[in-house]
Amino acid sequence: MPRVAVAGGEIHYEESGKGPPLIFVSGLNGVGRYWEPQVPVFSTRFRVITYDQRGTGASDRLQRQFSVDQMAADLAGLMDSLRIPRAHLVGLSTGGAIGQTLAIEQPGRIERLVMCSTWTHCDPWFRRLFEARRLMYQQAGSELHAMFHPLWLYPPDYVNSHDGELDEERSRSVAGAPPVEISVGRINALLAFDRRAGLARIKAPTLIIASDNDFITPNYHAEALGRAIPGARLVILRGGGHSISKTRTEEFNRLVLEFLEG
Protein backbone atom coordinates (compact mmCIF):
# COMPACT_ATOMS: atom_id res chain seq x y z
CA MET A 1 0.00 0.00 0.00
CA PRO A 2 2.06 3.00 -1.20
CA ARG A 3 2.01 6.11 0.97
CA VAL A 4 3.99 9.31 0.97
CA ALA A 5 4.58 11.82 3.74
CA VAL A 6 2.79 15.12 3.13
CA ALA A 7 2.55 18.04 5.59
CA GLY A 8 2.94 15.98 8.72
CA GLY A 9 0.68 13.16 7.58
CA GLU A 10 0.49 10.41 4.98
CA ILE A 11 -1.32 10.22 1.65
CA HIS A 12 -2.20 6.86 0.11
CA TYR A 13 -1.97 6.72 -3.68
CA GLU A 14 -2.14 4.25 -6.54
CA GLU A 15 -0.25 4.48 -9.83
CA SER A 16 -0.59 2.66 -13.14
CA GLY A 17 0.46 3.09 -16.76
CA LYS A 18 3.20 5.09 -18.44
CA GLY A 19 3.17 8.38 -20.28
CA PRO A 20 2.30 11.97 -19.36
CA PRO A 21 1.16 12.20 -15.73
CA LEU A 22 -2.60 12.36 -15.18
CA ILE A 23 -4.09 12.81 -11.71
CA PHE A 24 -7.73 12.00 -10.92
CA VAL A 25 -9.14 13.88 -7.92
CA SER A 26 -12.28 12.62 -6.22
CA GLY A 27 -15.25 14.40 -4.67
CA LEU A 28 -16.37 14.71 -1.05
CA ASN A 29 -15.79 11.04 -0.20
CA GLY A 30 -12.17 11.63 -1.23
CA VAL A 31 -11.22 8.05 -2.11
CA GLY A 32 -9.25 7.13 -5.19
CA ARG A 33 -11.27 3.98 -5.92
CA TYR A 34 -14.03 6.22 -7.25
CA TRP A 35 -12.10 6.31 -10.54
CA GLU A 36 -12.10 2.54 -11.14
CA PRO A 37 -14.11 2.98 -14.39
CA GLN A 38 -11.42 5.33 -15.75
CA VAL A 39 -8.08 3.83 -14.67
CA PRO A 40 -7.90 0.87 -17.12
CA VAL A 41 -8.72 3.09 -20.10
CA PHE A 42 -6.47 6.03 -19.30
CA SER A 43 -3.50 4.01 -18.04
CA THR A 44 -2.91 2.72 -21.57
CA ARG A 45 -1.88 6.26 -22.55
CA PHE A 46 -0.96 8.07 -19.33
CA ARG A 47 0.79 7.63 -16.01
CA VAL A 48 -2.39 7.60 -13.95
CA ILE A 49 -2.38 8.65 -10.29
CA THR A 50 -5.35 8.25 -7.95
CA TYR A 51 -5.18 8.99 -4.23
CA ASP A 52 -7.17 9.12 -1.00
CA GLN A 53 -7.47 12.66 0.25
CA ARG A 54 -6.39 13.41 3.80
CA GLY A 55 -8.94 12.06 6.28
CA THR A 56 -10.37 9.50 3.84
CA GLY A 57 -9.67 5.96 2.69
CA ALA A 58 -6.20 4.70 3.60
CA SER A 59 -4.67 8.15 4.11
CA ASP A 60 -4.10 9.54 7.61
CA ARG A 61 -7.09 10.58 9.71
CA LEU A 62 -5.38 12.96 12.07
CA GLN A 63 -7.04 16.15 10.91
CA ARG A 64 -10.47 17.54 11.86
CA GLN A 65 -10.47 20.98 10.22
CA PHE A 66 -10.15 21.30 6.46
CA SER A 67 -10.09 23.83 3.63
CA VAL A 68 -9.97 23.44 -0.13
CA ASP A 69 -6.72 25.44 -0.09
CA GLN A 70 -5.21 22.80 2.21
CA MET A 71 -6.54 20.01 -0.04
CA ALA A 72 -4.83 21.66 -3.02
CA ALA A 73 -1.61 22.01 -1.02
CA ASP A 74 -1.80 18.30 -0.18
CA LEU A 75 -2.08 17.49 -3.88
CA ALA A 76 0.92 19.67 -4.65
CA GLY A 77 2.82 17.86 -1.89
CA LEU A 78 1.87 14.49 -3.36
CA MET A 79 3.12 15.66 -6.77
CA ASP A 80 6.40 16.76 -5.22
CA SER A 81 6.84 13.39 -3.51
CA LEU A 82 6.20 11.58 -6.79
CA ARG A 83 8.50 13.98 -8.69
CA ILE A 84 5.70 15.24 -10.89
CA PRO A 85 6.26 18.96 -11.52
CA ARG A 86 3.31 19.28 -13.91
CA ALA A 87 0.32 17.05 -14.75
CA HIS A 88 -3.08 16.83 -16.35
CA LEU A 89 -5.79 16.98 -13.69
CA VAL A 90 -9.32 15.57 -13.80
CA GLY A 91 -11.43 16.57 -10.81
CA LEU A 92 -15.03 15.78 -9.94
CA SER A 93 -17.04 17.97 -7.56
CA THR A 94 -14.64 18.70 -4.67
CA GLY A 95 -11.89 17.55 -7.02
CA GLY A 96 -12.94 20.34 -9.37
CA ALA A 97 -12.67 22.87 -6.54
CA ILE A 98 -9.18 21.57 -5.81
CA GLY A 99 -8.37 21.87 -9.52
CA GLN A 100 -9.57 25.48 -9.62
CA THR A 101 -7.43 26.35 -6.61
CA LEU A 102 -4.27 24.70 -7.91
CA ALA A 103 -4.71 26.22 -11.39
CA ILE A 104 -5.10 29.69 -9.89
CA GLU A 105 -2.44 29.56 -7.17
CA GLN A 106 0.14 27.28 -8.80
CA PRO A 107 -0.55 27.53 -12.54
CA GLY A 108 2.68 25.82 -13.51
CA ARG A 109 1.37 22.59 -12.00
CA ILE A 110 -1.49 22.07 -14.44
CA GLU A 111 -1.00 21.00 -18.06
CA ARG A 112 -4.69 20.55 -18.91
CA LEU A 113 -7.62 20.81 -16.51
CA VAL A 114 -10.88 18.86 -16.62
CA MET A 115 -13.59 19.76 -14.11
CA CYS A 116 -16.73 17.70 -13.79
CA SER A 117 -19.88 18.32 -11.71
CA THR A 118 -18.27 21.11 -9.73
CA TRP A 119 -19.33 24.50 -8.46
CA THR A 120 -18.16 28.10 -8.23
CA HIS A 121 -19.27 29.06 -4.71
CA CYS A 122 -21.72 28.22 -1.95
CA ASP A 123 -25.06 29.64 -3.10
CA PRO A 124 -28.28 29.15 -1.08
CA TRP A 125 -29.13 25.83 -2.80
CA PHE A 126 -25.66 24.43 -2.12
CA ARG A 127 -25.68 25.75 1.46
CA ARG A 128 -29.05 24.21 2.30
CA LEU A 129 -28.09 20.82 0.85
CA PHE A 130 -24.73 20.59 2.59
CA GLU A 131 -25.96 21.97 5.88
CA ALA A 132 -28.57 19.20 5.83
CA ARG A 133 -25.92 16.60 5.01
CA ARG A 134 -23.71 17.91 7.81
CA LEU A 135 -26.58 17.69 10.29
CA MET A 136 -27.33 14.15 9.12
CA TYR A 137 -23.76 13.16 9.92
CA GLN A 138 -23.89 14.86 13.31
CA GLN A 139 -27.24 13.47 14.41
CA ALA A 140 -27.40 10.08 12.68
CA GLY A 141 -23.86 9.17 11.68
CA SER A 142 -22.33 7.77 8.50
CA GLU A 143 -24.72 4.86 7.99
CA LEU A 144 -27.84 6.96 7.36
CA HIS A 145 -25.85 9.36 5.18
CA ALA A 146 -24.65 6.42 3.09
CA MET A 147 -28.28 5.35 2.51
CA PHE A 148 -29.15 8.75 1.07
CA HIS A 149 -25.90 9.23 -0.85
CA PRO A 150 -26.94 7.40 -4.08
CA LEU A 151 -30.10 9.53 -4.25
CA TRP A 152 -27.94 12.63 -4.51
CA LEU A 153 -25.30 11.19 -6.82
CA TYR A 154 -27.30 9.24 -9.39
CA PRO A 155 -30.47 9.67 -11.46
CA PRO A 156 -33.36 7.20 -11.06
CA ASP A 157 -32.50 5.18 -14.19
CA TYR A 158 -29.01 4.43 -12.89
CA VAL A 159 -30.22 3.53 -9.39
CA ASN A 160 -32.87 1.20 -10.83
CA SER A 161 -30.36 -0.67 -12.99
CA HIS A 162 -27.52 -0.82 -10.42
CA ASP A 163 -29.39 -1.45 -7.19
CA GLY A 164 -27.28 -4.40 -6.05
CA GLU A 165 -23.99 -2.65 -6.84
CA LEU A 166 -25.08 0.41 -4.87
CA ASP A 167 -25.85 -1.78 -1.83
CA GLU A 168 -22.34 -3.23 -2.04
CA GLU A 169 -20.83 0.23 -2.34
CA ARG A 170 -22.87 1.44 0.64
CA SER A 171 -21.56 -1.44 2.75
CA ARG A 172 -17.97 -0.64 1.74
CA SER A 173 -18.53 3.04 2.43
CA VAL A 174 -19.93 2.46 5.92
CA ALA A 175 -17.20 -0.04 6.80
CA GLY A 176 -14.46 2.39 5.76
CA ALA A 177 -16.12 5.62 6.90
CA PRO A 178 -13.90 8.11 8.71
CA PRO A 179 -14.94 9.61 12.05
CA VAL A 180 -17.95 11.89 11.75
CA GLU A 181 -15.81 14.87 12.73
CA ILE A 182 -13.76 14.42 9.55
CA SER A 183 -16.84 14.31 7.32
CA VAL A 184 -18.21 17.41 9.04
CA GLY A 185 -14.87 19.19 8.64
CA ARG A 186 -14.73 18.37 4.94
CA ILE A 187 -18.28 19.66 4.42
CA ASN A 188 -17.32 22.88 6.22
CA ALA A 189 -14.48 23.29 3.70
CA LEU A 190 -16.95 23.07 0.81
CA LEU A 191 -19.32 25.58 2.39
CA ALA A 192 -16.44 28.08 2.66
CA PHE A 193 -15.17 27.61 -0.90
CA ASP A 194 -15.35 30.53 -3.36
CA ARG A 195 -12.78 30.99 -6.13
CA ARG A 196 -14.84 33.18 -8.46
CA ALA A 197 -12.48 36.13 -8.17
CA GLY A 198 -9.55 34.15 -9.56
CA LEU A 199 -11.13 32.13 -12.37
CA ALA A 200 -10.03 34.56 -15.09
CA ARG A 201 -6.42 33.83 -14.08
CA ILE A 202 -6.63 30.17 -15.08
CA LYS A 203 -4.38 29.71 -18.10
CA ALA A 204 -4.45 25.94 -18.51
CA PRO A 205 -6.65 24.63 -21.33
CA THR A 206 -9.86 23.71 -19.53
CA LEU A 207 -12.75 21.33 -20.19
CA ILE A 208 -15.89 21.61 -18.05
CA ILE A 209 -18.34 18.70 -18.05
CA ALA A 210 -21.76 18.74 -16.40
CA SER A 211 -25.11 17.01 -16.67
CA ASP A 212 -28.50 18.61 -17.05
CA ASN A 213 -29.96 16.77 -14.03
CA ASP A 214 -27.21 17.12 -11.43
CA PHE A 215 -28.97 17.48 -8.06
CA ILE A 216 -25.88 18.54 -6.10
CA THR A 217 -24.22 21.02 -8.45
CA PRO A 218 -26.79 22.26 -11.00
CA ASN A 219 -25.27 23.01 -14.39
CA TYR A 220 -25.53 26.79 -14.00
CA HIS A 221 -22.29 26.44 -12.03
CA ALA A 222 -20.63 24.85 -15.07
CA GLU A 223 -21.97 27.61 -17.28
CA ALA A 224 -20.52 30.23 -14.90
CA LEU A 225 -17.15 28.49 -14.97
CA GLY A 226 -17.27 28.38 -18.76
CA ARG A 227 -17.87 32.11 -18.95
CA ALA A 228 -15.19 33.01 -16.41
CA ILE A 229 -12.25 30.81 -17.51
CA PRO A 230 -10.60 32.11 -20.70
CA GLY A 231 -11.03 29.72 -23.62
CA ALA A 232 -12.77 27.03 -21.56
CA ARG A 233 -14.81 24.39 -23.37
CA LEU A 234 -18.18 23.52 -21.82
CA VAL A 235 -20.07 20.24 -22.39
CA ILE A 236 -23.42 19.60 -20.74
CA LEU A 237 -24.57 16.00 -21.09
CA ARG A 238 -28.16 14.89 -21.11
CA GLY A 239 -28.83 12.90 -17.96
CA GLY A 240 -26.30 11.20 -15.75
CA GLY A 241 -26.70 13.08 -12.48
CA HIS A 242 -23.78 14.21 -10.37
CA SER A 243 -21.51 11.20 -10.88
CA ILE A 244 -21.46 11.30 -14.66
CA SER A 245 -18.02 9.68 -14.80
CA LYS A 246 -19.82 6.53 -13.59
CA THR A 247 -23.25 6.87 -15.13
CA ARG A 248 -21.99 7.97 -18.56
CA THR A 249 -18.59 6.29 -18.45
CA GLU A 250 -17.98 5.75 -22.17
CA GLU A 251 -19.03 9.26 -23.15
CA PHE A 252 -17.10 10.81 -20.26
CA ASN A 253 -13.93 8.86 -21.10
CA ARG A 254 -14.17 9.76 -24.76
CA LEU A 255 -14.60 13.48 -24.06
CA VAL A 256 -11.70 13.57 -21.63
CA LEU A 257 -9.35 11.52 -23.83
CA GLU A 258 -10.08 13.71 -26.87
CA PHE A 259 -9.42 16.83 -24.81
CA LEU A 260 -6.21 15.61 -23.18
CA GLU A 261 -4.80 14.44 -26.50
CA GLY A 262 -6.13 17.35 -28.54
Side-chain angles (χ1 to χ4, degrees):
M1 183 178 291
R3 292 188 181 190
V4 294
V6 176
E10 290 186 323
I11 299 292
H12 165 73
Y13 72 96
E14 298 285 347
E15 181 173 349
S16 61
K18 295 181 179 179
L22 167 60
I23 303 173
F24 285 96
V25 189
S26 302
L28 180 61
N29 74 347
V31 295
R33 73 168 185 268
Y34 174 84
W35 299 102
E36 288 174 354
Q38 279 67 53
V39 170
V41 174
F42 286 85
S43 61
T44 63
R45 310 185 195 190
F46 297 92
R47 176 189 177 191
V48 173
I49 310 294
T50 60
Y51 71 102
D52 297 339
Q53 294 169 33
R54 190 183 301 273
T56 74
S59 292
D60 77 72
R61 300 186 175 188
L62 304 173
Q63 201 165 321
R64 294 296 182 269
Q65 296 183 346
F66 298 84
S67 70
V68 174
D69 284 4
Q70 167 256 310
M71 296 174 189
D74 283 348
L75 175 54
L78 174 64
M79 293 173 69
D80 288 341
S81 295
L82 299 180
R83 298 182 180 179
I84 300 174
R86 187 176 177 90
H88 300 305
L89 188 150
V90 178
L92 180 132
S93 197
T94 301
I98 293 170
Q100 291 175 50
T101 302
L102 201 60
I104 292 168
E105 298 300 331
Q106 299 188 49
R109 295 281 191 174
I110 306 297
E111 186 69 38
R112 286 180 175 246
L113 174 64
V114 179
M115 294 187 288
C116 171
S117 303
T118 195
W119 77 105
T120 56
H121 69 293
C122 177
D123 63 7
W125 169 265
F126 191 94
R127 173 181 55 79
R128 287 176 178 273
L129 173 60
F130 279 89
E131 284 179 346
R133 293 177 66 175
R134 181 176 62 187
L135 190 62
M136 186 179 293
Y137 271 121
Q138 291 170 325
Q139 295 191 354
S142 299
E143 189 166 358
L144 182 61
H145 188 275
M147 292 181 67
F148 276 90
H149 205 213
L151 305 179
W152 297 317
L153 293 181
Y154 309 116
D157 63 317
Y158 186 86
V159 172
N160 289 339
S161 60
H162 294 79
D163 193 42
E165 295 172 33
L166 294 177
D167 278 341
E168 292 176 9
E169 175 58 31
R170 177 165 62 91
S171 297
R172 282 205 297 174
S173 176
V174 172
V180 163
E181 294 83 3
I182 288 178
S183 299
V184 168
R186 286 175 61 80
I187 286 176
N188 288 339
L190 308 193
L191 291 169
F193 176 76
D194 186 346
R195 278 284 174 177
R196 287 175 291 176
L199 292 173
R201 291 161 45 199
I202 293 179
K203 302 304 181 186
T206 301
L207 171 65
I208 302 158
I209 305 175
S211 79
D212 63 3
N213 65 345
D214 184 345
F215 182 80
I216 296 178
T217 52
N219 61 34
Y220 58 77
H221 286 293
E223 293 170 347
L225 288 167
R227 289 191 298 269
I229 299 172
R233 181 188 175 197
L234 171 64
V235 177
I236 298 179
L237 303 180
R238 183 175 179 181
H242 187 68
S243 289
I244 51 179
S245 57
K246 282 189 175 181
T247 61
R248 299 291 187 270
T249 299
E250 290 186 9
E251 190 170 8
F252 177 87
N253 290 352
R254 177 183 57 79
L255 286 168
V256 175
L257 278 170
E258 289 176 355
F259 174 73
L260 295 182
E261 296 183 327

